[in-house]
Amino acid sequence: GTFEEGEGCLHVTGEGNDMSNLAASLLSNANTKTRYSSMVRGLARTNNQWQLFDKGGSLLGSADWLIVAGSGVAHPRWTNTFGGDPPLVAAIQASQLENEKLNRALEAIAKQEASPILAVFWYCVGEEANVWCNLPFAVAELDNDVLSKICVQRLESGACSVVLHSTTEFALQNTGVYGKSSSAARVGDATSDASREDIIIGNMLDALAGVNLPPIPDKCEYGPLLHRWGNAFPKGEALAEELSLCGNNVNVAFCGDYTETDARIGSVEAALLSGTEIGNRIAQHESDKD
């Protein structure tokens, strides 16, 4: 990754200034084993270790600490999307673990809500990209019943990606659709109504045509694609710092944009800061035991 300091801030990006590679870049020099595109569908606490299982029940790995970087495995919304109890909740019940701090953390997470959106996005190059690259904004907020925001990401190559954000109200009116290329559908096997995808994409592109902006290019390198971002914008109280590390007999830690940091809840900054902080706290916790 790239780390650039300036004016008291640390600027962090992924390889090639690409935010999509941020997490992988931060791990590139670490002595760790990674498993991507393997959704954790089950958890168990056995012999003082956490075991992680995929959707087929096969063991993905074991660890001394379970770090919950996304609240999904601990939040009731899991049931609506994938069915069954959230894996962390189910594991605690099955193992009959007793930890007062962890119980308080799960209660706090369960109270957190989010503002869902539907996102339509595409990637284009050449003349098709120039039309969007020449617009005088990177992010435009809209006063619209269907669209709330338009984001244009320009690349050094001259290509660009465009993302349309729906309003929360529009997303709530169109539940049950996650997008066939979304991780929820591809990795998690979430049930999605594919027959409605093209209708929703069409509604959002019609709304774009009504705000005096260029239409979607006739030729896109990929897209338009639809994804549902059900938890991209958490709201409410962030998980308190005192509840984000539960040691003793459970060894569970929480980090991510839903936890308390100096940054805004729901931001990339919050996710980065919380991850760094929880890593330091786990290291200190283990050192104190020696």
Side-chain angles (χ1 to χ4, degrees):
T2 300
F3 300 82
E4 298 178 4
E5 294 190 41
E7 299 182 2
C9 298
L10 183 64
H11 178 62
V12 185
T13 67
E15 184 179 353
N17 203 33
D18 186 348
M19 289 294 287
S20 66
N21 291 321
L22 179 56
S25 295
L26 291 172
L27 293 171
S28 60
N29 296 319
N31 182 22
T32 185
K33 181 180 180 181
T34 59
R35 291 287 298 271
Y36 297 110
S37 299
S38 301
M39 183 175 179
V40 176
R41 294 296 296 262
L43 296 168
R45 178 76 170 164
T46 306
N47 297 325
N48 293 322
Q49 280 206 319
W50 282 100
Q51 295 182 316
L52 287 69
F53 301 93
D54 65 14
K55 59 187 177 183
S58 299
L59 182 67
L60 291 171
S62 301
D64 296 326
W65 279 84
L66 176 67
I67 303 175
V68 183
S71 63
V73 295
H75 196 282
R77 70 174 180 276
W78 176 280
T79 304
N80 295 330
T81 305
F82 303 110
D85 292 329
L88 181 55
V89 175
I92 292 170
Q93 293 173 345
S95 303
Q96 297 182 329
L97 292 173
E98 294 292 338
N99 186 285
E100 189 267 342
K101 183 185 285 188
L102 179 56
N103 290 338
R104 288 168 55 203
L106 291 176
E107 290 174 2
I109 290 172
K111 294 177 182 177
Q112 291 181 335
E113 297 180 349
S115 299
I117 70 158
L118 289 164
V120 169
F121 52 95
W122 63 86
Y123 170 77
C124 51
V125 300
E127 291 300 320
E128 287 80 7
N130 288 340
V131 176
W132 285 90
C133 288
N134 291 331
L135 292 175
F137 64 83
V139 179
E141 295 185 352
L142 305 176
D143 182 12
N144 189 285
D145 291 337
V146 176
L147 298 180
S148 64
K149 185 184 296 184
I150 299 175
C151 302
V152 181
Q153 182 182 20
R154 300 162 176 84
L155 304 181
E156 293 179 359
S157 64
C160 80
S161 297
V162 180
V163 184
L164 309 181
H165 290 220
S166 79
T167 62
T168 296
E169 292 74 16
F170 184 79
L172 292 173
Q173 293 166 8
N174 292 278
T175 58
V177 181
Y178 299 95
K180 57 180 176 290
S181 65
S182 68
S183 57
R186 289 185 298 104
V187 182
D189 289 335
T191 301
S192 182
D193 188 347
S195 66
R196 294 172 55 203
E197 284 191 39
D198 289 342
I199 296 174
I200 293 173
I201 291 174
N203 289 339
M204 293 180 64
L205 293 180
D206 287 345
L208 173 65
V211 294
N212 197 30
L213 285 172
I216 182 173
D218 293 331
K219 181 182 178 181
C220 297
E221 293 298 300
Y222 69 74
L225 299 175
L226 175 74
H227 282 188
R228 184 179 185 85
W229 295 343
N231 198 48
F233 302 99
K235 61 182 181 181
E237 293 293 327
L239 180 67
E241 181 179 354
E242 64 172 310
L243 300 178
S244 61
L245 190 144
C246 308
N248 299 328
N249 64 322
V250 292
N251 284 10
V252 176
F254 300 91
C255 66
D257 62 1
Y258 64 99
T259 62
E260 181 182 19
T261 68
D262 291 336
R264 173 179 58 82
I265 183 174
S267 64
V268 173
E269 292 83 356
L272 285 169
L273 290 172
S274 67
T276 301
E277 178 64 19
I278 207 66
N280 291 335
R281 291 174 64 193
I282 290 174
Q284 185 62 53
H285 183 278
E286 293 297 302
S287 177
D288 291 343
K289 292 195 306 185
D290 296 336

